């Protein structure tokens, strides 16, 4: 076929999108719908699965209806860990989607930690005991939705992360499957033995019957139902958003790092085929599995990155558009010792304080909106530096280059400050839609548009490169201020 196209579904925390790519990664068409988040109680974050599905479907059909020659394959990428439980017969969700940021199960996680389960869990899943992952969210639904546990025990319910729910819907209930990267974020999947772990299922009190089949990232996931999307297109690739970005950034060699700055910030380093749990509170996770061959990544997950900018926009009304943050930040020469620790949904790696709250420190009568905005952008670099420190302490070598992406990299000030603080070059790729491209490219391999991962790597090209310019002494002084601010939060949480 001449000029085959690939369709990516990119279901993120803040929006659902469909993106049509050419075989060299050019965006031909894109449709997007913002997704509503609900905060029914303090620390709770939910979405309506019906919105996730109908928005995704509409985005896809808007693209497909305009096309004569349909895409040759569909790839799916998604916000990870977000948990949906639905009825196998009707497809009706039994509860809202519990979003990855939700902290309602923090107490249960603390209890399990006190009982000494954390190390076993880390050894099997690479994860830490935190409400972030799906396991305690699933248990919460089963224990709190009337009749849900009985229905689950009777085999009537299905669990899935968003990828799995969308696949079910796209195939009209034919396929209940996920991929290894999404499975690796549930805290129920043993990433060493690559299977659902019965001891963990027992620990979290979750019946096996809820779980989907786990496939490679490049696989035959099914075919879109023609009554659903108006065409039968093979679904050939799937990966959680951060792993899809790693793939879209072509980080296939051990030691290569990508860092994505969207709602949260996620830095992943490819560590090759050998599982190694972190000793410094990072996560070990599946990077990808192709032809049954697994590659692991070490991951630093920061819960709040762009969400802090959103809060300045929506919560404080500092500006109408996130893009205005750059002009405000550069209207002052520094943050005037203002530090913004954006722990709105707790602190993730490497601190893992689920109950920490956000803090702005160092305000004086001279402080202005500009200083606070600048501090929010600078926080992205400090948080990344915290992660790099933990990666180094784990014995990982520090890369010379980080490949960065996500909505925030449009902010040149943020990128330059990042390069300055890390002392590492920051490369931003030409294909800025790396997450969606990763999913599309995986599907492309499945249908033969690409011959394999190396072929995907060849499609990567740098657009901008930010080189470090700041003096080490200044960097150290700024970072010491951050450490002091973040230290206050972690100490408070420990009750010191
Ligand atoms: P996600 O995939 O997690 O939904 P995106 O990668 O689309 O997120 O990034 C969106 C985030 O980036 C939002 O939180 C927004 O506030 C932030 N953002 C987008 N553009 C800019 C900008 N120019 N400067 C600062 N923040 C930005």
């Amino acid at each position: 076929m001449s000029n085959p196209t690939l369709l990516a579904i990119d279901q993120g925390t803040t929006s659902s999108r469909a993106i049509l790519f050419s075989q060299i990664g050019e965006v031909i068409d894109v449709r997007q719908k913002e997704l509503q988040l609900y905060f029914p109680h303090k620390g709770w974050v939910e979405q309506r699965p019906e919105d996730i599905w109908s928005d995704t479907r509409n985005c896809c059909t808007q693209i497909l209806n305009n096309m004569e020659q349909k895409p040759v394959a569909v790839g799916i990428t998604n916000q990870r860990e977000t948990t949906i439980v639905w009825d196998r017969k009707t497809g009706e969700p039994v509860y809202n989607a519990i979003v990855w940021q939700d902290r309602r199960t923090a107490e249960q996680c603390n209890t399990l930690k006190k009982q000494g389960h954390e190390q076993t869990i880390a050894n099997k899943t690479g994860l830490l005991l935190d409400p972030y992952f799906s396991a305690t969210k699933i248990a919460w639904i089963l224990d709190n939705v009337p009749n849900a546990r009985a229905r689950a025990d009777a085999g009537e319910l299905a669990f899935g992360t968003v990828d799995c729910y969308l696949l079910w819907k796209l195939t009209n209930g034919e396929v209940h499957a996920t991929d290894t990267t999404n499975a690796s974020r549930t805290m129920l999947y043993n990433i060493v033995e690559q299977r659902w772990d019965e001891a963990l299922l027992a620990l979290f009190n979750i019946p096996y019957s809820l779980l989907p089949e786990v496939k490679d990232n490049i696989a035959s996931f099914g075919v879109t139902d023609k009554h659903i999307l108006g065409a039968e297109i093979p679904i050939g690739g799937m990966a959680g958003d951060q792993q899809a970005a790693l793939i879209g950034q072509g980080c296939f060699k051990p030691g290569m790092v990508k860092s994505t700055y969207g709602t949260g910030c996620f830095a992943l380093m490819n560590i090759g085929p050998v599982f190694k749990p972190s000793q410094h509170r990072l996560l070990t996770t599946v990077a990808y599995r192709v032809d049954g061959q697994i590659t692991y990544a070490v991951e630093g997950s920061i819960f709040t990155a762009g969400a802090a900018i959103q809060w300045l926009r929506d919560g404080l009304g500092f500006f109408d558009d996130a893009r205005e943050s750059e002009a405000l930040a550069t209207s002052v020469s520094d943050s005037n010792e203002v530090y913004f620790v954006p722990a709105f949904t707790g602190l993730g790696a490497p601190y893992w304080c689920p109950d920490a709250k956000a803090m702005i420190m160092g305000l004086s009568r001279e402080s202005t909106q500009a200083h606070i905005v600048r501090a929010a952008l600078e926080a992205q670099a400090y948080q990344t530096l915290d992660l790099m420190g933990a990666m180094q302490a784990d014995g990982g070598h520090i890369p010379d280059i980080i490949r960065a992406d996500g909505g925030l990299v449009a902010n040149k000030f943020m990128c330059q400050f990042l390069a300055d603080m890390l002392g590492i070059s920051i490369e931003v790729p030409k294909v800025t839609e790396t997450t969606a491209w990763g999913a599309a490219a995986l599907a492309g391999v499945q249908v033969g548009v690409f011959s394999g991962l190396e072929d995907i790597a060849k499609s990567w090209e740098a657009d901008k490169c930010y080189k470090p310019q700041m003096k080490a002494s200044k960097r150290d002084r700024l970072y010491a201020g951050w450490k002091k601010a973040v230290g206050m939060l972690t100490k408070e949480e420990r009750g010191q």
Side-chain angles (χ1 to χ4, degrees), residues 284-301:
T284 306
T285 204
V286 176
Y288 43 85
R289 192 177 74 194
V290 175
D291 294 330
Q293 297 296 311
I294 199 155
T295 297
Y296 295 100
V298 56
E299 169 173 329
S301 328

Side-chain angles (χ1 to χ4, degrees), residues 12-15 261-264 306-307 309-310 322-323 325 377 406-408 410-411:
T13 313
T14 52
S15 74
Y261 299 86
T263 303
I309 307 300
Q310 254 171 342
R323 281 174 291 190
S325 63
L377 291 168
L408 260 158
N411 192 309

Side-chain angles (χ1 to χ4, degrees), residues 404-420:
D405 54 50
L408 260 158
V409 301
N411 192 309
K412 296 189 206 69
F413 166 75
M414 197 283 292
C415 293
Q416 184 56 51
F417 194 76
L418 187 60
D420 285 342

Side-chain angles (χ1 to χ4, degrees), residues 7 193 214 228 293 295 327 373 384 460 480 485:
L7 182 67
E193 295 171 11
V214 181
I228 303 272
Q293 297 296 311
T295 297
V373 171
T384 312
W460 191 92

